Amino acid sequence: MAVTVRINHLTVILLSVHLIPTNPVAEQRSLGKSRKRVNPVLHTDPPAPDPIRDSHKYCNYPNLTEHGWEGHSPADYRLLSVHVMIRHGDRFPLYSIPKTKKPAIDCLLSEKRKPSHPLLASFISHMTLGGRGHWDTSLLSLPRLPNHSTCEMGELTQTGVVQHLKSGDHLRQAYIKRHNLLTSDWSPRQLWVETTGKSRTLQSGLAFLFGFLPHFDWSRLTVRQQWSTLFCGSSCDCPARNRYLDQEQRRQYRQRTADTELERTYVAMAKTLGVATKTLRAANPVDALLCHFCHGLPFPCSSTQTSSNAPDEGACLTLQHFAVIRRQQKNDELERREAGIYRRYAVLAAHPYLNRTATRMERIARGSQTRKGKEEAVFALASAHDVTMAPLLSALGLEGAGFPKFAARLVFELWNSPEVKDNDKKSDRKQGRWLENVFIRVLYNGEDLTFDTAFCRDHNRHSAQPLCPLGNFLSFVRKDMFNIVNATSYQQACHQTVL
């Protein structure tokens, strides 16, 4: 099955039912230390899912106060490195609803228009400067700012820019002001930045970096392109991954067609607009409705009428229509976890990125013992999509974290304890002394989920080691995560038969 033939259609399915593209591997070939509690009690959702409440969370309004546990550690622990994956910020819909007007949103940036941010004016000014750093040539044709007075399909909005200016500034307070991870004279080798070849991910990454870096300097910035939305680099060939995804798509289709309330809702929406039900489904209405919802715009009304199936004059889609579709998406998330097929896909989809992260962490941890750690990038940023982050969360065992909202962030922190906590000589001989006092934290949208991950769920957080040992993560990525597919390595898992 050719990858590029189906990708656009499958992206539509993603937004409608939270699917991942059948093969996102080739989406585009064309071109201060704190003594505060480190592991807070997580907030739990109400027993009955609320699709409207969940949609507000998905929008990720940038006017809300930012809170997060990034950068918090036991006293005297030293931060060695930080690895961040972000989802792009708020964007214009990828598809339009037939016979309706597109949302009236201006994608030209203006510090005088809400939402805004103290850094927005200087960001706009700086991005219009001529200089660039060492970019992959495939990225040079992409605009550095959203630049249309009427947003184009998939274009990052001002809300999306502000979301990442705010997120970058938040992490600057956590990692640079508190831990001095990067100084104002940071060098290019200390920073690793990669993005897909979409303007919305590139612009989101630039907004994040402008808020994060102590001094944004084009001449020191290197930006690399990932050709796959899975960020799998040179390890994208994995037939079993695609077969698991095919199975998951069939499961989702069965779940969707069995939902009688959803079917009645699509029929009613299509009648309201005067279009065929199958045409409405193909147009992915939830994508456009989310845009209306997040920007506080009225839901669309029919702009034309047909003689054969004429809607009532002024007929509009409603919040009730929207709520039914979102309810079905949440139900599907629950069934997806129980079925387990998606988790198998996710393990194979996320492994290449996790493996590169683990390898980079290991080199930094080893280097911290020999003073060679300065040769590694201490901050890595991957600017990605929901179809990148969703399988990554699932592979880590964080399926309860929910579908990634706009500008979601997943953070891996690497810490060094002030002294060796374990004097077990067997452990010393097995793993090497360099590993026994190096630890990892995993945070999602500011919440510490380390002890909810599959690799650290069984660790005694009240032991002499209050953080999760890096060795747990290394073992998980290199072997343990493949237990779910009855394999011991990525290559074996990718090329075995899927039943």
Side-chain angles (χ1 to χ4, degrees), residues 329-350:
Q329 290 181 325
K330 296 302 293 181
N331 288 350
D332 183 75
E333 285 183 21
L334 296 174
E335 185 178 291
R336 183 180 74 181
R337 288 182 230 166
E338 296 175 0
I341 303 171
Y342 182 84
R343 178 76 185 280
R344 293 174 173 83
Y345 161 79
V347 162
L348 301 183

Side-chain angles (χ1 to χ4, degrees), residues 43-98:
H43 299 291
T44 57
D45 289 329
D50 182 343
I52 301 304
R53 174 181 175 273
D54 181 72
S55 297
H56 282 299
K57 291 169 60 179
Y58 180 86
C59 297
N60 192 15
Y61 304 112
N63 59 335
L64 300 177
T65 302
E66 181 72 68
H67 296 290
W69 286 90
E70 290 96 346
H72 289 276
S73 72
D76 300 325
Y77 275 59
R78 181 165 64 98
L79 182 65
L80 298 180
S81 67
V82 176
H83 312 258
V84 180
M85 176 177 282
I86 58 174
R87 184 195 173 188
H88 62 74
D90 178 87
R91 57 152 175 77
F92 198 74
L94 293 171
Y95 301 92
S96 59
I97 301 177

Side-chain angles (χ1 to χ4, degrees), residues 68 232 247 283:
C232 48
Q247 291 181 7

Side-chain angles (χ1 to χ4, degrees), residues 84 86 164-165 167-168 171 204-212 379 381:
V84 180
I86 58 174
H164 281 298
L165 286 173
S167 187
L171 294 194
S204 292
L206 292 176
F208 179 95
L209 290 171
F210 194 83
F212 177 74
F379 185 83
L381 175 67

Side-chain angles (χ1 to χ4, degrees), residues 16 96-100 261-290 292 299-304 309-312 315-326:
S16 176
S96 59
I97 301 177
K99 299 186 180 181
T100 66
E261 184 185 24
L262 179 68
E263 178 62 21
R264 288 196 301 268
T265 298
Y266 272 124
V267 170
M269 292 170 66
K271 183 177 180 181
T272 296
L273 300 177
V275 300
T277 304
K278 63 179 181 180
T279 302
L280 180 69
R281 284 200 196 93
N284 191 19
V286 72
D287 185 31
L289 293 178
L290 274 167
H292 285 265
F299 283 145
C301 303
S302 175
S303 58
T304 61
N309 189 18
D312 296 334
C316 303
L317 302 183
T318 68
L319 184 65
Q320 288 70 34
H321 295 145
F322 174 71
V324 169
I325 300 176
R326 293 291 288 166

Side-chain angles (χ1 to χ4, degrees), residues 18-31:
H18 286 174
L19 266 179
I20 301 186
T22 294
N23 195 344
V25 167
E27 183 199 33
Q28 46 174 353
R29 291 282 184 181
S30 61
L31 296 135

Side-chain angles (χ1 to χ4, degrees), residues 139-153:
L139 298 173
L140 295 178
S141 62
L142 297 178
R144 287 168 287 180
L145 291 175
N147 56 5
H148 295 92
S149 57
T150 301
C151 294
E152 294 193 342
M153 294 297 185

